[in-house]
Amino acid sequence: MKNAGNKTVKRRTFLGAAGAGTVTTALAGCLGGISGEDDDIFRIGHLAPTRSQMGLGAERSIEIAVDEVNDDGGILDQEVELLSENTEGQVDEGTAVVESLIQEDNVDLLVGTFVSEVTQGIMDFVADRNVPFIITGSADPDSITEFHGRDYEEYKNVFRTGPINSDLQAEAMGQYAEFLSDEHGWEDFAILADDAAWTGPFIERLPDEIEDLGFNVVHADTMGIETDDFTQYLDDVDSADADAVFRFIAHADSAAFVSTWQSNEYPFAVEGINVPGMSPAFWDATEGACLYETTSQSGAGGVTELTDRTMPFVEEYEDRYADEDPPSKPMYMGFNSYDAVHFYREAVESAGTADYENELDGIVDAMLSTEHTGATGEMVLYDEDSEYPNDVQETRDEDDYISNFPMTQWQEGGEVECVFPEADATADHVAPEWL
Amino acid sequence: MSSETDRSTGSTRALGDTWRSVDDGLRTVGSRINPVFQPLADGYNRLFGAYFGEMNGLQFLLIFGSLLGLLTAPFWGTFSLVQTMTIACIWAVFAMSWDIQSGYTGYISFGHSVLSGAAAYATAMLVYNVDPEMSMAVTIPLSILAALVVGLLIALPTLRLSGPYFSLITFVAVLIFYRLIRPFSEYTGGETGIQGVEVFTYDPLVRYYYMLIPMLVVAVALTFVARSNIGLVLMAIRENESAVNAAGLDATKFKLWSFVLSSIPMGIGGVLLVHYYGSVDPTTFVVVDNSIEMIAMAVLGGMSSILGPLGGAFLFVVLEDFLLEGLPASARWTILWVIILLVLVFARDGLFRKLWHKLDSYGHRGENR
């Protein structure tokens, strides 16, 4: 206070004080700037390996859903903006883009993730931030049982609206084995699976499912995801005298698998799940070697009318992307990403809020009580007390067959046909001609 | 032909002239800035010069300007840049750790990711297999110890080897470690890895300092060691191992020391990485590509210089995750590796080492020291 009063402030002191003030203000501003501002736009962050056909199909499909929602007044009267990020199927990349979407872009909803490892890698962060997250690609049941099952309160903002988890898929595959036995008299089955999180149930549960129905599992093995020579695996199935092999491939080189099988005319059918084989471009990529192979997929490849929303969505997709790069159909993750947006909109509009920071419980309750008709079928989530909290339920037909994970088959001329369940089938299942 | 040759010689000469005039310009500017910071540099030199090396005013400006930039990054950087720099801090620890062993002794290791992987897996496996509530006060030292043990396991059989055989052993070590993860998936989580490791914090600002401060401590400690007699002996091993032995020093003992010096900070980096992601998996933590990237960072900045690899790591990660972020992964990596190739061809000592020597010569020109 000694210098207070009418003494002139020295020029250097003034400059110093002014400089310090400016720097402090700027720093303080930047401190807030590390996370973005909220506003009246409803932002959806979409996560997928968008350089792959599966991820690109999902990205395009969610664009269609967002446009439809915006044309219909948005979500709770807010315009919807889509921010699509490429996870590259890697945990580190997935973590980085999710943090950026939540912290910097302030997304109101996260949709996506294909690789189960990526899904699980981001789970804790997403749970910590309470942003609603709808899984639309990963099927690993652990993504629910190991998280919600351990601490529901912590992970209640995470949902899966499709596909059904691979425990349920394993049950569906058992039922499909029964169908194949009825059709062709096959009784001996083999199982080959990617060594990855989502295929665990196909190794652990599917053998019991098949054997409980009175059939035999004559061989089971896992394949490293870098595998590109499948001769030894197919020889083993051959030695075991299997009538059909259920193979579960999302990462490995499935074109090499099917080409080896077809060119050597191995005496067994190829059934199960083949993610790259869901692309309409797979026929050309394998020069038709995929003839007779089947895959299960949400949306049945877009070849059959599962609900009255299925074909309008598929036709819109085909119209928009007819001249673009493959895939020319949405593929399974595309169906699920499309449905997730409409499902969430229906839920939060019934709850009257999408404010997850203050009213997450209301949103969760609305999600669990929503019954939505999607492009993939009728959608309802399991509740907190069930084995798979917040996970999409399987639907069953009158014969108790799981109906929302239909089987498609490549048939003559590169046509994709739905072959199971019979209520949705567009053609009969065909056994390879050399059997 | 002769006219083409003339043209090309002419253009080369023109290019040379342009560079010389730019160099002269920079030299003039440098010689004017140097005296401004020389008093500060002199103060630093008096206090720390004997331990960490002396600097002129320009070098002081580079080091302390960079340090100030790093310490204040969350206040001026965007979210993405700070996020990238957070990761860069961890990779800088790896690159510096690799350098104190391979850069200084010349025994090139292709298997350093096995050391950080060992620490990260030790943390995750302690939490996953032993006690989910185990405190970081227990897991962190044990994990660094695990890195040290694995480092010594690799070091011991390699001590009598030289040239490519040493590199091959380290390369094979990382491949073996990677392949062992699947058969022991009950404990290691297999291909999926282990989730549920506690993260330090999700606050991006606080997390940045959680990574930056250990990185700075490692940088100071390794620079101190590198400038000490130990560093001199390690460099002498690279230059002429027989001469070191002939001088009565046991080169084998010092090579073992270089592994110890390298394994401990590699363990620290591995612990930082696992508590950054909150999970561990073989692709993110162990693959041999990680080791190659550490080498690339050291090459980019300048091997056998500690701070060179630090700068190289920041340049590498910021290029990959921030500046080239919009490009497809294949394009990004192609560009990065082309840059590494160009540095190897045109600036073999690394960009930061080259810059350091330039600043040294510009500063001296000022004759104000």
Side-chain angles (χ1 to χ4, degrees), chain B residues 92 109 118 131 248-249 265-266 282 329 345 369:
Chain B
S109 161
D131 177 9
L249 295 168
M266 282 303 295
V345 173
R369 302 190 66 190

Side-chain angles (χ1 to χ4, degrees), chain B residues 240-317:
Chain B
N240 191 338
E241 192 171 340
S242 318
V244 172
N245 283 321
L249 295 168
D250 185 352
T252 304
K253 194 175 80 181
F254 279 93
K255 277 153 61 182
L256 198 62
W257 264 110
S258 76
F259 256 104
V260 172
L261 281 172
S262 187
S263 300
I264 292 170
M266 282 303 295
I268 294 172
V271 167
L272 293 179
L273 199 60
V274 74
H275 287 296
Y276 176 91
Y277 286 122
S279 62
V280 66
D281 68 90
T283 315
T284 316
F285 282 78
V286 184
V287 283
V288 77
D289 307 36
N290 286 2
S291 301
I292 309 293
E293 283 164 32
M294 289 169 208
I295 301 173
M297 289 166 187
V299 165
L300 197 58
M303 281 162 56
S304 65
S305 63
I306 302 296
L307 295 186
L310 189 160
F314 270 79
L315 186 57
F316 191 97
V317 177

Side-chain angles (χ1 to χ4, degrees), chain A residues 70-323:
Chain A
N70 278 331
D71 289 345
D72 196 30
I75 293 179
L76 293 166
D77 297 327
Q78 286 185 307
E79 187 191 343
V80 181
E81 182 186 345
L82 178 67
L83 303 167
S84 185
E85 294 287 350
N86 181 11
T87 61
E88 293 176 8
Q90 300 289 333
V91 176
D92 53 353
E93 194 66 28
T95 307
V97 296
V98 165
E99 285 198 18
S100 180
L101 283 169
I102 293 178
Q103 310 253 46
E104 198 172 24
D105 301 314
N106 276 323
V107 290
D108 299 283
L109 172 68
L110 282 167
V111 177
T113 65
F114 170 60
V115 178
S116 296
E117 286 79 350
V118 175
T119 307
Q120 291 173 18
I122 64 172
M123 197 77 111
D124 281 325
F125 178 68
V126 171
D128 183 77
R129 293 298 145 127
N130 286 332
V131 181
F133 169 34
I134 303 180
I135 302 168
T136 54
S138 314
D140 183 14
D142 287 355
S143 303
I144 297 296
T145 54
E146 294 296 310
F147 291 86
H148 303 67
R150 178 159 42 91
D151 184 351
Y152 182 79
E153 200 54 30
E154 176 69 10
Y155 298 101
K156 64 186 177 187
N157 59 315
V158 181
F159 311 90
R160 174 159 48 203
T161 56
I164 57 170
N165 70 54
S166 37
D167 277 349
L168 297 168
Q169 290 179 18
E171 186 187 340
M173 285 297 149
Q175 295 170 342
Y176 181 59
E178 191 176 19
F179 164 80
L180 291 174
S181 179
D182 289 345
E183 288 285 301
H184 306 294
W186 296 341
E187 295 196 333
D188 296 328
F189 298 96
I191 299 168
L192 292 175
D194 273 356
D195 186 12
W198 72 282
T199 65
F202 298 115
I203 293 293
E204 290 151 19
R205 291 177 81 128
L206 182 54
D208 291 340
E209 296 284 348
I210 291 174
E211 285 169 356
D212 286 350
L213 291 163
F215 310 122
N216 309 308
V217 175
V218 293
H219 177 72
D221 200 0
T222 54
M223 306 179 289
I225 57 175
E226 308 100 347
T227 307
D228 54 11
D229 179 1
F230 295 92
T231 313
Q232 187 61 51
Y233 294 106
L234 291 165
D235 284 349
D236 289 345
V237 174
D238 190 11
S239 304
D241 284 333
D243 295 316
V245 59
F246 283 93
R247 54 81 187 89
F248 302 94
I249 301 182
H251 302 85
D253 186 352
S254 64
F257 184 102
V258 80
S259 299
T260 309
W261 167 69
Q262 195 249 23
S263 59
N264 291 291
E265 297 195 345
Y266 279 98
F268 47 81
V270 170
E271 312 286 336
I273 300 175
N274 172 15
V275 173
M278 297 173 193
S279 166
F282 197 63
W283 178 267
D284 288 338
T286 60
E287 296 177 341
C290 56
L291 177 65
Y292 307 122
E293 79 150 3
T294 65
T295 182
S296 190
Q297 52 179 325
S298 313
V303 297
T304 186
E305 188 159 343
L306 299 167
T307 70
D308 58 4
R309 297 189 82 142
T310 312
M311 295 325 283
F313 162 55
V314 174
E315 283 158 14
E316 176 65 21
Y317 183 101
E318 289 174 330
D319 286 349
R320 282 201 197 193
Y321 303 109
D323 301 324

